[in-house]
Amino acid sequence: LSGFGTLQSLDLSNSLVTDTGLGHLKELAALRTLANCKRVSNTGLAHLTELKHLRFLDLHGCRRLTDSGVTQLRYLRTLRYL
């Protein structure tokens, strides 16, 4: 993913990206929008805290998340839309 460092929007619809895959997104330093991470659990959300410019996060359909996982989003200071 290092070649996509300026990527600002990523839609994971119909992908097989899991928690492990989200760990690699930290290389996308400019990422502002992330949508449709349906295979994500609390562990995957922890990886997202490294996305310092993330403004929009779509968790619709993420049935593997719990309240304790969602509380990790407090570290996303630029997050405006959930």
Side-chain angles (χ1 to χ4, degrees):
L1 291 176
S2 60
F4 295 97
T6 59
L7 185 71
Q8 293 187 8
S9 182
L10 182 60
D11 186 337
L12 298 174
S13 296
N14 301 315
S15 75
L16 299 176
V17 174
T18 62
D19 295 336
T20 303
L22 285 187
H24 298 286
L25 295 185
K26 64 185 173 193
E27 297 177 35
L28 303 177
L31 194 66
R32 294 176 184 266
T33 301
L34 183 60
N36 299 310
C37 343
K38 293 182 180 178
R39 296 177 176 256
V40 175
S41 72
N42 296 342
T43 303
L45 281 187
H47 294 306
L48 298 183
T49 60
E50 296 188 41
L51 298 174
K52 302 302 180 193
H53 298 288
L54 193 65
R55 295 180 55 83
F56 177 90
L57 179 60
D58 178 5
L59 296 176
H60 179 76
C62 297
R63 292 181 174 91
R64 297 176 57 202
L65 299 178
T66 66
D67 291 343
S68 65
V70 174
T71 61
Q72 297 177 62
L73 299 178
R74 71 181 179 269
Y75 299 111
L76 294 172
R77 301 289 183 202
T78 59
L79 190 65
R80 298 294 177 256
Y81 305 99
L82 180 59

